[in-house]
Amino acid sequence: MTIQVLPEQLINQIAAGEVVERPATVVKELVENSLDAGACAIEVELEAGGLNLIRVRDDGGGIARDQLALALTRHATSKISLLDDLERVASFGFRGEALPSILSVSRLALTSRREIDQHGWKVAGSGLLDDGSPQPAAHPPGTTIEVRDLFFNTPARRKFMKAEGTEFRHVDQALRRLALTRFDLRLRLSHNGRRSFELAQAEGDTARAARIAAVCGDEFLANAVTIDEQRLGLRLWGWVALPSFGRAQADLQFLYVNGRNVRDKLLAHALRRAYHDVMHSQRHPAFVLFLELDPARVDVNVHPQKTEVRFRDASVVHDFLFGAVHQLLRRIRPEPGQHHRVEFEAPAFSSQDPVQSTVPLSYGRNVSTPSWPVREASGASGSAWPLYRAGFAEPEMPAALNATEDAPLGRAIAQIRGVFVLAENRHGLVLVDAHAAHERVLYERLKLQLAADGIASQRLLLPEVIRVGGAEADQLEAQFESLRRFGLILDRAGPESITVRAVPALLIKADLAALLRTLCGGADDAESAEHFNEALDAQHRILADIACRAAIKANRRLTVPEMDALLRDMEQTPNAGQCNHGRPTWVQIDADALDRLFLRGR
């Protein structure tokens, strides 16, 4: 077979296979070019999900008349000129492939005008650039690119496109990700003549928080805390959602490196590690994070779509990202005025209607506050006070007890259904899941003991023989020495049985058979199969199981001092906002929400 040089159009169409996957990638490339041109306002118009028309207008610097045709030539760019430039790319585009690739599979028109020009100039083509010089055109300063009939000359590729609504949603998602790249950008999207969304410039913390809410939703912002860490030439800032806001899918993960939205396995692993101790393995964290570093320390020339990067100091970046987010989550203490709040919707009924017994709940917070201070809690447990039956006047509280109202979780009042602790603070009512909260407190204490000298064990007066499967017994026997560090001293009693000789003091009255089944992977817990895979994670999972078995069980009646002691422990325990499985441990019901529930003040 004879070797031959491919025609220019075929070369561009091959490149288009990597750069132009669908209308959303076209919009992404064109909007990023507008951002590189210094645009402050960008308008995107679509027809048929972008398959019939994509029009991108901007108010950027524009393109000179004699460079319009060159802009549609392969590997022609204004972003870099030397090898040194490639090693420290600070712009979105730099490969010079996007525009010629888009032209090769569509009917494209490029109109642009610089501020110093009297009018604009236009070039066009269908698959290839038309012959002839640029034509005069009326146009304000900036650039407009029209892409019509995408994939008109590659019908096989066109057949792979989804329904119009699906393609539009991909464009919408791509633009929302780009909207977080520049908060000073005005961005508008229209589809089939109808405006989809419009974002104004976001100047100041309040406006930035409003944009985050517009892109990610009010619920995300209501459950997020801000982060801004800087060291070793790296800066990480943005919004991190509480672990209790874990998602069923990774749909609210926005990660930017020097303003570029990326998908990077190294960074994703660091963030998963930061959340692994506070979130269920089947849930996904939510975040909007911006990593800033010297462009020379990151290589963006990895993939034609420029969504993948490589770091020159990968371990440093990984450890910085993990440490910053992990320590932020551990610093969070109960702050009822800022998170874990429950708001009641006011019931609608007439004077003739019976009061509704079920009221819908919604979690939320006013988005006008962009950042939340971390409050370090302190304070001793309140003294005991008697419970009074309903119908009697409330007695005067001792002065020492009133002081606990200043604590974030307030003072304990009662226990509900043997499960929930009801407390009162200056914001209103606090509901605490006693088991989940106690589980987290015990877990954090066990981790400290393990890191110090290991967990002390207490020998059983009568060793307990527990029957397990043969495979489970083999698995446990292989870990006998490791389990000693956790205070579990086991022996093999037979082919399918294990003898428990000593356990941590917390587990003296626990169900040891259930614990062993969990540790050896016989439980239904999806996490248990991973127990012995990775050393540190395995240790923490075992401690989590021990804490879960030792924590307060449902229907155990607590005294008021016990409940108050639990509240004080929560205020001083890292990650106390969620249990070891990622579920919330407490919620705040504001006084205003209670007033709305009973229509007070109306």
Side-chain angles (χ1 to χ4, degrees):
M1 184 176 293
T2 304
I3 298 175
Q4 58 183 336
V5 178
L6 297 177
E8 184 68 20
Q9 183 181 14
L10 182 56
I11 293 174
N12 288 336
Q13 288 180 337
I14 293 173
E18 297 179 321
V19 177
V20 184
E21 290 185 348
R22 61 196 329 151
T25 58
V26 174
V27 171
K28 172 182 175 293
E29 295 290 346
L30 297 181
V31 171
E32 287 182 346
N33 281 343
S34 296
L35 294 174
D36 285 339
C40 294
I42 300 176
E43 182 177 355
V44 180
E45 298 177 46
L46 306 176
E47 291 181 5
L51 293 171
N52 290 353
L53 171 67
I54 299 173
R55 181 184 292 118
V56 178
R57 294 192 182 97
D58 69 55
D59 60 351
I63 305 173
R65 174 184 181 276
D66 59 348
Q67 292 189 327
L68 283 174
L70 189 60
L72 297 173
T73 304
R74 184 173 170 80
H75 296 317
T77 179
S78 62
K79 316 299 173 53
I80 62 173
S81 58
L82 302 172
L83 179 60
D84 290 344
D85 298 333
L86 186 61
E87 294 180 352
R88 49 187 314 112
V89 174
S91 58
F92 287 104
F94 58 91
R95 302 171 66 98
E97 289 183 326
L99 287 179
S101 297
I102 296 169
L103 170 63
S104 69
V105 293
S106 68
R107 310 183 196 278
L108 184 145
L110 169 60
T111 308
S112 188
R113 174 191 165 190
R114 298 181 301 170
E115 188 73 40
I116 61 175
D117 295 333
Q118 297 297 319
H119 55 77
W121 297 91
K122 178 180 179 180
V123 294
S126 298
L128 287 172
L129 187 63
D130 294 341
D131 294 333
S133 59
Q135 301 299 310
H139 196 276
T143 302
T144 298
I145 299 182
E146 289 186 0
V147 178
R148 295 184 179 273
D149 301 327
L150 190 61
F151 302 122
F152 81 97
N153 56 354
T154 53
R157 189 65 177 272
R158 176 94 179 201
K159 292 179 182 178
F160 280 94
M161 295 299 101
K162 304 297 183 181
E164 174 182 324
T166 302
E167 296 300 335
F168 169 72
R169 284 194 296 274
H170 282 286
V171 173
D172 182 83
Q173 292 170 4
L175 281 179
R176 289 179 184 274
R177 288 184 177 274
L178 286 168
L180 301 180
T181 299
R182 288 251 311 267
F183 285 95
D184 62 335
L185 176 69
R186 297 194 304 275
L187 185 61
R188 178 188 300 171
L189 172 64
S190 301
H191 184 223
N192 293 336
R194 300 179 61 183
R195 184 170 301 175
S196 176
F197 72 81
E198 182 172 4
L199 299 175
Q201 285 183 325
E203 299 291 344
D205 290 342
T206 301
R208 287 188 177 190
R211 175 167 292 196
I212 293 295
V215 174
C216 303
D218 291 336
E219 192 176 3
F220 168 80
L221 195 63
N223 289 277
V225 292
T226 57
I227 183 172
D228 194 343
E229 296 283 342
Q230 188 169 357
R231 59 179 178 272
L232 302 174
L234 304 169
R235 184 193 177 198
L236 181 71
W237 65 279
W239 291 259
V240 174
L242 298 172
S244 55
F245 187 67
R247 310 279 292 176
Q249 56 187 355
D251 58 341
L252 282 180
Q253 296 185 352
F254 299 87
L255 182 59
Y256 299 83
V257 176
N258 288 342
R260 184 191 305 276
N261 183 225
V262 300
R263 297 190 301 267
D264 183 77
K265 292 181 180 179
L266 176 83
L267 302 181
H269 180 267
L271 290 169
R272 283 197 306 272
R273 289 282 297 162
Y275 273 91
H276 91 280
D277 205 24
V278 291
M279 183 173 290
H280 194 279
S281 61
Q282 296 181 355
R283 306 291 287 179
H284 299 271
F287 49 79
V288 177
L289 291 173
F290 301 86
L291 178 63
E292 298 175 359
L293 70 165
D294 185 346
R297 299 175 64 180
V298 57
D299 182 8
V300 298
N301 187 27
V302 176
H303 190 275
Q305 292 187 10
K306 304 181 289 292
T307 56
E308 300 177 13
V309 295
R310 288 197 183 103
F311 296 96
R312 311 207 186 279
D313 305 314
S315 61
V316 173
V317 174
H318 177 281
D319 293 347
F320 168 71
L321 189 61
F322 163 74
V325 176
H326 180 66
Q327 292 302 320
L328 171 71
L329 296 176
R330 290 186 64 82
R331 287 197 303 268
I332 295 174
R333 296 293 187 273
E335 186 62 44
Q338 305 297 348
H339 52 77
H340 287 220
R341 289 171 58 185
V342 175
E343 295 182 357
F344 291 88
E345 297 177 6
F349 56 87
S350 68
S351 59
Q352 305 300 322
D353 295 331
V355 176
Q356 301 296 315
S357 60
T358 302
V359 181
L361 305 181
S362 62
Y363 291 83
R365 186 188 58 80
N366 195 339
V367 302
S368 62
T369 304
S371 60
W372 301 267
V374 177
R375 179 172 179 177
E376 297 291 343
S378 61
S381 301
S383 56
W385 59 283
L387 294 176
Y388 293 85
R389 287 176 290 178
F392 289 86
E394 181 181 355
E396 183 178 351
M397 293 297 105
L401 214 156
N402 289 335
T404 62
E405 293 183 358
D406 292 330
L409 297 181
R411 58 183 174 89
I413 298 176
Q415 190 177 8
I416 304 174
R417 300 181 63 185
V419 177
F420 303 103
V421 172
L422 180 64
E424 180 183 7
N425 63 5
R426 60 177 60 256
H427 297 283
L429 293 180
V430 176
L431 274 177
V432 176
D433 183 329
H435 170 79
H438 193 215
E439 180 181 345
R440 170 57 69 177
V441 171
L442 294 180
Y443 178 42
E444 295 296 334
R445 288 179 180 173
L446 288 172
K447 285 198 296 183
L448 291 176
Q449 292 178 24
L450 181 65
D453 302 314
I455 298 172
S457 61
Q458 182 171 332
R459 287 198 169 269
L460 300 179
L461 183 62
L462 295 176
E464 184 174 346
V465 178
I466 298 174
R467 291 186 58 84
V468 295
E472 289 79 4
D474 292 340
Q475 189 177 6
L476 285 169
E477 185 177 12
Q479 301 298 323
F480 278 172
E481 290 303 317
S482 299
L483 293 175
R484 281 180 176 271
R485 291 200 65 217
F486 307 109
L488 288 166
I489 299 179
L490 311 176
D491 282 333
R492 188 72 175 259
E496 297 183 348
S497 58
I498 295 292
T499 299
V500 181
R501 299 193 178 279
V503 296
L506 293 171
L507 295 181
I508 290 296
K509 297 182 180 180
D511 185 348
L512 298 180
L515 175 62
L516 291 190
R517 285 195 298 270
T518 302
L519 294 179
C520 63
D524 294 333
D525 188 351
E527 293 177 308
S528 60
E530 303 281 337
H531 267 316
F532 302 127
N533 286 356
E534 189 175 335
L536 182 61
D537 287 349
Q539 291 176 0
H540 284 177
R541 279 190 290 268
I542 293 172
L543 294 183
D545 290 331
I546 293 174
C548 183
R549 300 294 173 184
I552 299 169
K553 299 300 185 290
N555 299 320
R556 176 186 164 186
R557 289 295 174 181
L558 303 176
T559 65
V560 171
E562 287 176 330
M563 290 186 281
D564 270 324
L566 177 61
L567 299 180
R568 303 293 80 78
D569 285 340
M570 290 176 62
E571 292 164 354
Q572 300 174 30
T573 300
N575 303 317
Q578 54 284 318
C579 73
N580 307 342
H581 308 291
R583 295 188 296 270
T585 58
W586 65 277
V587 293
Q588 172 75 50
I589 304 174
D590 292 345
D592 291 342
L594 293 173
D595 288 341
R596 286 194 297 273
L597 179 62
F598 294 99
L599 302 180
R600 289 177 58 85
R602 301 193 180 188

